[in-house]
Amino acid sequence: MIQVSANHMNELVTILPAYDFIVVGELHGSVQNAPIMQNLLALILTATGRAGIAFEWPISQNDQIALRAYVNGGPVPAALPPFFLNSDGRFTRQHADLLAWLRRSHRLGNAIDIHFFDEDNDPGDPEERLAHALEQIHQLEPATPLLVETGNFHARKQSDRRQLPMAARLTAEYKVFTIFLRYLSGLIDVEGRHRDVTLAASQKQNPNKYFDAVIEIAQSEPAEQLTDLTTIRDLLCLNQT
């Protein structure tokens, strides 16, 4: 088990590029989540110059194409996913900043593939559907490490429940490195309500059983609720250069 602070993750730079999937398990609704994803991606890019990132966002194919084009240097999308305003904390103001950073990094010569996945409404096991979605993404660029942002149960390599988590399913055929975000204090925003991170069940359990590494966050700040898509477009415009 590797344990690092959010401000000192450099020792992961030689580890992450060796894996097919780097799966980060978070509590949604924290300001700190997106910057950590950015820093992890920067470490991979430092080692390889190429990386993929996958967000657990249920958005349409048209929205995916538009966001991918933006990251690749195109215009800010004329329309943005309504999901951004009702994301259960998966999309925050800091994620808008992250999308803009991905665009700037791409323009500086880094090769970055951006992807989106989520369980659909089909019957069956949602963890299996999530794993299958990531497998399909991996097959597009099998030699490129894929950094995955998801909820902490999905990121576990094993489970105490009957349901086997997404990351555990991937380990059967792929090299998977899992990271747990541990928040030592502070709040998250859950559907407009602030909750103490230390009371979350996942934060009380020993992550050694489920994860390869722990990133400790000294204090979580609750993510700001974004109330209109125009504000998000403005953030993307402001930070794109």
Side-chain angles (χ1 to χ4, degrees):
M1 164 68 70
I2 299 170
Q3 187 167 316
V4 297
S5 75
N7 296 323
H8 298 90
M9 297 189 291
N10 286 344
E11 67 182 85
L12 299 175
V13 70
T14 59
I15 297 172
L16 302 182
Y19 289 85
D20 299 311
F21 297 96
I22 301 100
V23 186
V24 181
E26 67 178 27
L27 288 176
H28 304 318
S30 172
V31 164
Q32 279 63 43
N33 292 340
I36 284 176
M37 296 300 294
Q38 178 176 318
N39 291 339
L40 289 171
L41 192 64
L43 291 176
I44 298 170
L45 291 171
T46 295
T48 67
R50 182 171 193 88
I53 186 167
F55 297 100
E56 187 194 347
W57 299 348
I59 61 178
S60 71
Q61 286 295 323
N62 286 340
D63 287 328
Q64 292 186 37
I65 291 170
L67 287 171
R68 196 170 289 119
Y70 167 77
V71 167
N72 290 338
V76 175
L80 291 169
F83 165 76
F84 284 178
L85 303 180
N86 187 27
S87 69
D88 299 330
R90 282 181 275 177
F91 183 89
T92 67
R93 174 182 287 268
Q94 288 68 39
H95 283 90
D97 294 338
L98 175 55
L99 289 174
W101 179 86
L102 290 171
R103 187 180 193 276
R104 293 194 300 274
S105 185
H106 189 278
R107 291 182 65 185
L108 291 174
N110 291 304
I112 302 172
D113 301 312
I114 180 172
H115 303 280
F116 312 92
F117 72 104
D118 192 61
E119 61 181 270
D120 51 36
N121 295 319
D122 292 339
D125 188 335
E127 296 297 318
E128 177 62 31
R129 295 198 298 273
L130 290 172
H132 180 65
L134 288 180
E135 285 181 301
Q136 290 182 309
I137 292 170
H138 172 74
Q139 289 167 9
L140 298 173
E141 293 285 345
T144 301
L146 184 66
L147 179 66
V148 181
E149 182 179 27
T150 189
N152 52 55
F153 177 77
H154 302 317
R156 293 182 176 191
K157 277 191 166 178
Q158 59 178 299
S159 175
D160 296 326
R161 310 179 193 174
R162 281 187 178 180
Q163 192 175 43
L164 196 63
M166 174 191 77
R169 295 170 189 270
L170 292 171
T171 59
E173 296 186 36
Y174 302 97
K175 293 179 291 183
V176 181
F177 189 82
T178 59
I179 299 174
F180 177 70
L181 300 190
R182 171 180 275 159
Y183 311 83
L184 303 183
S185 63
L187 304 170
I188 55 172
D189 184 285
V190 181
E191 298 180 343
R193 298 180 60 188
H194 291 179
R195 299 189 182 180
D196 186 336
V197 289
T198 63
L199 299 180
S202 65
Q203 300 294 307
K204 297 178 181 180
Q205 297 171 336
N206 185 351
N208 293 14
K209 181 177 180 179
Y210 308 109
F211 299 91
D212 298 307
V214 172
I215 295 176
E216 291 191 339
I217 300 162
Q219 184 170 16
S220 171
E221 301 167 74
E224 176 185 346
Q225 287 275 85
L226 297 168
T227 58
D228 65 88
L229 295 175
T230 300
T231 298
I232 301 172
R233 289 195 79 256
D234 290 344
L235 289 170
L236 295 177
C237 288
L238 179 66
N239 296 323
Q240 68 177 326
T241 55

